[in-house]
Amino acid sequence: MGSQPQHALHHTVVVVDVSAFGQRPLNPQLEIRRGLYAALEAAFSDSGLDWSAAEHEDRGDGVLVLVPADMPKSRVVGGLPHALLGELRRYNASRKPTAQIRLRMAITAGEVHHDERGVVGDDVTLAFRLVNSAPVRDVLAHSTASFALIVSDRLYDDVVRPDPAMDPDSFRPVDVSVKEVRGRAWLHVSDGGPPPPPPPPREPTERRPRWRWPRRA
């Protein structure tokens, strides 16, 4: 019998994915991967986050990062994207178009289970669905933006909306429908993207389901 999974631990879940990575030749792909990891490590440091204390899994054209619960979510959501955008601008300024990086980032938070093969959890799945959703893909395909961030509805409500320093009005609500995931998320486009429309009014007492998952047998 295999070993039992460890107890679930709370993490902020970050997924980054390089747009159009598979359309590049091999040498630019290798250069992009080196540039992406260098940018992530520098952005973590600039945001006051410890890259070495976070768990990270390579995904070829992207990275899954699990940020421990003792690192403030406000630094992950507020500081990290801004610092990462700066690193991408520095990297892209000295690279040919085939080796430049346009990046999608998704951030969620929740309980993550570990076993001998890796990690699993609803918010890990959600982060991957968000980063591959049509709204965040489309905004890069139809704009000159180099970076787009999408966060879960719960993370927006808990971390972004209450903090004016995060400029919550720069996020716009989007409907996400990817495989088993249906719900609302919040999209922020860094540079060269369309301006966000005003957020729709929300009743204070509204208690709607955040995500609809398939019923388990």
Side-chain angles (χ1 to χ4, degrees):
M1 295 178 62
S3 60
Q4 293 296 315
Q6 300 175 13
H7 293 293
L9 298 173
H10 188 86
H11 291 278
T12 306
V13 182
V14 179
V15 174
V16 295
D17 191 272
V18 177
S19 180
F21 181 84
Q23 300 172 20
R24 324 292 182 93
L26 177 60
N27 284 340
Q29 285 185 351
L30 295 172
E31 187 173 2
I32 286 169
R33 282 170 54 80
R34 289 192 295 269
L36 175 60
Y37 274 94
L40 281 169
E41 291 189 40
F44 263 69
S45 177
D46 291 346
S47 305
L49 300 167
D50 186 355
W51 172 257
S52 65
E55 300 176 50
H56 18 89
E57 291 186 3
D58 184 78
R59 296 299 173 113
D61 58 354
V63 187
L64 164 66
V65 184
L66 300 179
V67 181
D70 60 355
M71 295 189 192
K73 291 182 177 65
S74 58
R75 292 185 184 177
V76 181
V77 184
L80 183 61
H82 178 75
L84 185 55
L85 175 60
E87 294 299 324
L88 293 179
R89 285 173 173 165
R90 293 187 188 95
Y91 169 88
N92 287 338
S94 60
R95 297 311 193 278
K96 296 179 179 179
T98 55
Q100 291 182 359
I101 297 174
R102 302 179 75 209
L103 198 66
R104 304 189 306 273
M105 171 185 272
I107 306 178
T108 66
E111 303 304 306
V112 177
H113 293 265
H114 296 68
D115 63 19
E116 66 275 10
R117 294 180 178 85
V119 298
V120 66
D122 284 350
D123 282 279
V124 174
T125 300
L126 177 57
F128 278 103
R129 298 298 185 254
L130 291 180
V131 84
N132 286 302
S133 63
V136 71
R137 285 181 173 274
D138 289 348
V139 78
L140 290 187
H142 299 101
S143 74
T144 60
S146 58
F147 180 82
L149 166 67
I150 188 167
V151 303
S152 67
D153 194 34
R154 183 176 65 188
L155 199 68
Y156 180 84
D157 279 347
D158 292 348
V159 180
V160 178
R161 185 191 295 276
D163 188 350
M166 293 192 191
D167 193 12
D169 290 343
S170 68
F171 289 74
R172 62 185 175 95
V174 293
D175 291 324
V176 171
S177 178
V178 184
K179 295 185 178 180
E180 73 282 357
V181 170
R182 305 286 187 276
R184 181 161 75 171
W186 293 82
L187 180 64
H188 171 83
V189 184
S190 61
D191 54 345
R202 179 181 295 184
E203 294 296 331
T205 57
E206 183 183 3
R207 301 298 297 175
R208 53 183 171 71
R210 299 185 186 277
W211 297 99
R212 294 197 294 271
W213 298 90
R215 188 183 300 275
R216 292 186 172 88

